[in-house]
Amino acid sequence: MTSPQIADRFAFHRSTPQITIDEYERRRVVELGEWVMARDRIYLDKCFWIHLRAARTAVPSPPGASDLLDALVAGVSTGRLVCPISDMLFLELMKQSDPATRGATAELIDELSSGVTLSSEPTRVATEVAHFLHANTGHSVHPLEHLVWTKVPYILGVQHPVATAFPEEEQLVIQKVFLDHFWEISLSTIIGTIGNAWPFSSSFVDIADRLNRDNAAHAPVMKSFSQVYRDEINGVLELAAPIATDVLQEMAKKALGSGIQPSADEREGVTRECLGFLRAAVRKPAGRRALRTLQVGALLHAALRWNRTQKLNANDIFDFHHAGAALGYCDAFLTDGPMHALLMQRHLGIERDFPCRVMSSVEDAAAWVWHRIA
């Protein structure tokens, strides 16, 4: 924002002291969500961004890459589509050791994503759980699809500046102006500011090794894919149940007053009830769609376990997270051949709950995009 724009935002926020920073952030998110959902959403994993970068920089690229790039640029420029990213794509981008190619990829992402990203996966899961509980207890809620988008400066989560030297009301104004300012910062600017000052490290290698050991140990007791899937979904819902308990506690505080504070035993009991409720929910299509990020993750991990000869590696974990982001909230997912083949396995039933079109052929993707924007 320019200096006059910043001054205007200060004046505006001083005139609306009744709007908290959380409420203002929510309004920006809903406004962005409505904008995003008016467009086709095409999610590209890392390999497709590399193909497009190669086509843009005249480096050898797969057949159809230039055609796909032209189609996506045309679709974005006419307001027909957007190519959002996610926290996992950002982390993979930071793995690129060459600043020049990393910067070129970021510039391309800025152009095609319009600065839009899904919220971080932990935030997304919490939003899905909270939305499901509110929707099923008679509350008026925005569509879930309007609540999971943000801008790239908040790709790993939202934090607001705390300036205690200012009066509380002025601190609120500063927080809201900062949000307005950060809302417009590009990925290229973020990447350029970070440079090589953030040495990337990932626990995914250790996680993959642990999962491979666990899968081998439990392989003899696997009798069917449905049994393996139940084990996986029950496991992830155990992680979601405490989130549901927190949501219910906040709902109780709003209804009955802030003095409501359950004991440890009461909280444990509520968490058990939430777990049972969530497990019952995912037996139905509406529940699986509501808790979509957990559902996709459980399906993919179950598919991996069911294929006893396949070993998980760190890159597979990134791909699983990409799939969770794309299938739940996008119209198309452009990915590599192995992930495409995995998602098309009949026993997963991906198409039953998630209408997202999955493609691994660059040429097929280009034809599909041109058709959508025609």
Side-chain angles (χ1 to χ4, degrees):
M1 292 192 295
T2 63
S3 295
Q5 289 173 324
I6 292 174
D8 287 344
R9 298 316 294 171
F10 267 99
F12 171 76
H13 290 306
R14 287 193 179 109
S15 71
T16 55
Q18 75 280 6
I19 301 175
T20 67
I21 181 59
D22 290 337
E23 174 60 22
Y24 185 62
E25 178 198 339
R26 184 177 178 83
R27 291 185 183 187
R28 296 302 304 261
V29 166
V30 171
E31 178 185 64
L32 178 63
E34 292 172 346
W35 183 91
V36 172
M37 294 306 295
R39 292 156 170 76
D40 282 343
R41 298 156 309 283
I42 302 177
Y43 188 99
L44 293 75
D45 75 1
K46 181 184 69 173
C47 69
F48 267 83
W49 284 112
I50 291 174
H51 296 334
L52 296 183
R53 186 191 69 209
R56 171 62 59 86
T57 57
V59 173
S61 56
S66 293
D67 195 27
L68 175 60
L69 177 59
D70 290 343
L72 293 174
V73 169
V76 171
S77 64
T78 56
R80 299 296 301 275
L81 61 86
V82 66
C83 302
I85 63 169
S86 69
D87 50 350
M88 287 299 121
L89 197 285
F90 174 77
L91 294 176
E92 285 197 297
L93 181 62
M94 293 307 299
K95 286 171 58 181
Q96 295 185 14
S97 58
D98 177 31
T101 56
R102 187 169 63 214
T105 306
E107 290 177 3
L108 187 59
I109 290 173
D110 282 330
E111 180 179 353
L112 297 183
S113 73
S114 301
V116 174
T117 175
L118 282 155
S119 55
S120 66
E121 186 164 308
T123 300
R124 205 160 67 242
V125 169
T127 300
E128 291 169 0
V129 172
H131 186 273
F132 182 64
L133 291 175
H134 280 87
N136 282 276
T137 51
H139 289 75
S140 176
V141 293
H142 290 281
L144 174 61
E145 291 80 5
H146 290 175
L147 305 176
V148 295
W149 307 98
T150 187
K151 287 298 196 78
V152 289
Y154 298 112
I155 197 167
L156 298 181
V158 177
Q159 289 186 327
H160 303 297
V162 177
T164 55
F166 295 91
E168 185 174 333
E169 61 274 14
E170 190 66 6
Q171 181 173 239
L172 174 61
V173 171
I174 292 170
Q175 288 176 332
K176 290 192 281 189
V177 172
F178 260 82
L179 191 149
D180 289 334
H181 178 60
F182 282 14
W183 208 249
E184 305 301 327
I185 293 177
S186 69
L187 179 61
S188 298
T189 300
I190 296 170
I191 295 297
T193 301
I194 295 173
N196 292 322
W198 181 15
F200 179 81
S201 62
S202 170
S203 60
F204 285 177
V205 172
D206 293 336
I207 292 173
D209 289 342
R210 176 175 55 79
L211 289 174
N212 286 330
R213 290 193 301 270
D214 291 346
N215 293 344
H218 293 96
V221 300
M222 293 191 300
K223 303 302 181 184
S224 67
F225 175 77
S226 59
Q227 171 222 329
V228 176
Y229 160 73
R230 284 194 302 272
D231 291 342
E232 290 293 333
I233 193 66
N234 286 340
V236 296
L237 291 179
E238 287 181 2
L239 302 177
I243 299 173
T245 303
D246 291 338
V247 172
L248 292 179
Q249 184 173 336
E250 287 302 310
M251 292 167 64
K253 285 181 179 179
K254 289 180 180 179
L256 303 174
S258 58
I260 299 297
Q261 185 65 42
S263 67
D265 288 342
E266 289 172 331
R267 179 179 172 82
E268 184 179 345
V270 172
T271 301
R272 285 197 301 270
E273 292 179 5
C274 287
L275 178 58
F277 176 65
L278 295 176
R279 285 176 172 172
V282 296
R283 298 190 188 109
K284 300 177 181 179
R288 293 192 293 269
R289 285 282 299 165
L291 305 173
R292 58 193 72 176
T293 301
L294 297 176
Q295 167 69 5
V296 172
L299 281 173
L300 293 179
H301 281 279
L304 177 79
R305 288 181 57 200
W306 187 237
N307 183 357
R308 293 171 172 83
T309 62
Q310 185 175 351
K311 299 294 183 183
L312 186 72
N313 62 46
N315 287 332
D316 292 330
I317 298 179
F318 278 107
D319 289 341
F320 284 11
H321 288 290
H322 288 315
L327 295 178
Y329 296 100
C330 295
D331 298 291
F333 178 31
L334 310 187
T335 186
D336 59 27
M339 175 54 69
H340 186 187
L342 175 63
L343 291 173
M344 292 301 100
Q345 291 181 14
R346 186 177 298 275
H347 53 263
L348 268 66
I350 291 289
E351 72 286 348
R352 176 186 61 196
D353 296 318
F354 305 103
C356 179
R357 175 71 176 269
V358 181
M359 291 170 279
S360 55
S361 164
V362 177
E363 292 175 305
D364 288 350
W368 185 87
V369 175
W370 280 121
H371 177 74
R372 295 289 286 191
I373 66 175

